[in-house]
Amino acid sequence: MNTPYSHLIYHQVRPINKPTSDIDNKQYDIVIIGAGIQGAGVAQAAAICGYKTLVIEKHPLSGMGTSCKSSKLIHGGLRYLESGQFQLVKECLQERNRLLKNAPDLVKLIPFYIPVYGNSFRPSWKIWLGLCIYTLFSFKPFEIVKKSQWPSLDPIKKKDLRCVFKYYDAQTDDQALTRSVVRSAQSFGAEFIYNADFSRSEFGQGSHTINYAKDKINHTINSKYLINCSGPWVMDTQNKIYPKQNTPPIELISGSHIIVNIKTTQGAYYLEAEDKRAVFVIPWKEKHTLIGTTETPYTGTSDNVAATKKDIDYLINTYNKHFNMKISERNITDTFCGLRVLPQDTNSVFHKSRDSLIVESKLCPGLITAIGGKLTTYRASAELIVSKINIEKKYSKANTRKTKLSIG
Ligand SMILES: Cc1cc2nc3c(=O)[nH]c(=O)nc-3n(C[C@H](O)[C@H](O)[C@H](O)COP(=O)(O)OP(=O)(O)OC[C@H]3O[C@@H](n4cnc5c(N)ncnc54)[C@H](O)[C@@H]3O)c2cc1C
């Protein structure tokens, strides 16, 4: 495929270490780096087609990178309508509907409430308009909560409250979802190797020679296709792949969440923070509430990201601005922080595109790089990636659109 990024620069070729194990030099159709939701999704879609597929993951289990640090929503992203990302919202809602059918134990619709105050940045008419468009894409109508029903909501502040909207979106456990996709991929024959750190690959004679280290031993395998699904480590991985290619510039945006020991019973709340950003307050497990997220440009290494004091204060303040019951750091039982991978552009963080990029390479044939994307759309991105695999399928009728996923 011709992408704006397929003009590639050849840099250097280094010798590859000799294989050191008897499992080495196995030949695969597809090797995927990273067992987050994206890598798991590609493995599932590839294995369903009958391709010999291997996933290399540096952590001891799947879903230990960004895919356990999201807001855990399978959603269209109401707020993306504001930045004109209609196609993305439509695709997300299509995928939400598929996941509700295919993974009913893992993905569940919950009500979301949007309180609008006299001094809210977004007026009621704007939210009403956004929800009309959302309904058009999702076929799930929204409503305006009657004033007489406000007392039955969780204790949001009523002073200057003008209107409360109620709509539906879906919630999941991101890590459990990732692991269910891994199990599905395995059931179709995909192999996963954990504690295995991809270290280098080089393309030559129609195949990628791939090195990874496991238990301090260097292994070498071969594959026709190499798929880089390493999330926020995407550029670290890209720098180990030869011949080198020009990849579109990206930005990392950190997002923090806090979990507090307060129960939220009626559904999730979509709040407006001081800086006009959206912050979610979401019921979590039996007795807790998840509050997030922040969005801060990040330039450190992808391994060391953590919620900062500033992030925590911002989330606590946003909650306290909207709820009668005040929380403090004492209520926090956990914090986590993940990195969004976004294409670099001049827009503010809030208005940056949340679409994923699938980049192919001419200098390094068979290399496909997944940049960005959402938990919600993992299946659609995986389907697109696998549609680019030019190897004859063994099972041409199978696809992931109707494949069931279970908690396991
Ligand atoms: C704060 C935040 C909130 C979000 N909320 C939502 C949400 O509510 N809904 C939604 O749809 N999306 C959400 N997203 C987006 C979503 O979480 C991500 O798009 C998704 O989890 C990314 O998955 P991934 O597989 O690409 O990356 P990851 O999950 O990070 O997986 C990459 C994997 O690659 C592995 N890896 C890296 N380097 C190597 C190597 N050298 N060798 C072997 N393995 C390697 C890593 O260990 C990791 O497991 C959110 C993102 C953030 C940051």
Side-chain angles (χ1 to χ4, degrees), residues 110-111 113 152-155 262-269 281-284 286-289 323:
I110 57 167
Y113 297 97
S152 64
L153 299 174
D154 291 283
I262 301 278
K263 210 170 161 179
T264 308
T265 56
Q266 298 307 305
Y269 292 80
V281 170
I282 310 168
W284 183 241
E286 287 290 286
K287 295 178 182 158
H288 289 84
T289 296
F323 282 84

Side-chain angles (χ1 to χ4, degrees), residues 34 37-38 57-59 66-67 70-71 73 197-198 232 373 375-376:
I37 190 72
Q38 195 63 65
E57 169 55 55
K58 67 179 176 182
H59 281 110
T66 323
S67 301
S70 78
S71 303
L73 298 177
D197 197 351
F198 167 79
L375 190 71
T376 306

Side-chain angles (χ1 to χ4, degrees), residues 12-17 33 56 197-203 208-213 218-221 226 236-237 239-243:
Q12 63 185 120
V13 177
R14 291 203 206 119
I16 286 200
N17 295 344
I33 319 235
I56 297 172
D197 197 351
F198 167 79
S199 45
R200 190 171 195 279
S201 77
E202 188 170 328
F203 181 80
H208 296 267
T209 303
I210 298 163
N211 285 46
Y212 66 90
N218 185 44
H219 298 275
T220 304
I221 49 172
L226 177 63
D236 301 341
T237 300
N239 288 334
K240 297 171 186 164
I241 298 175
Y242 297 89

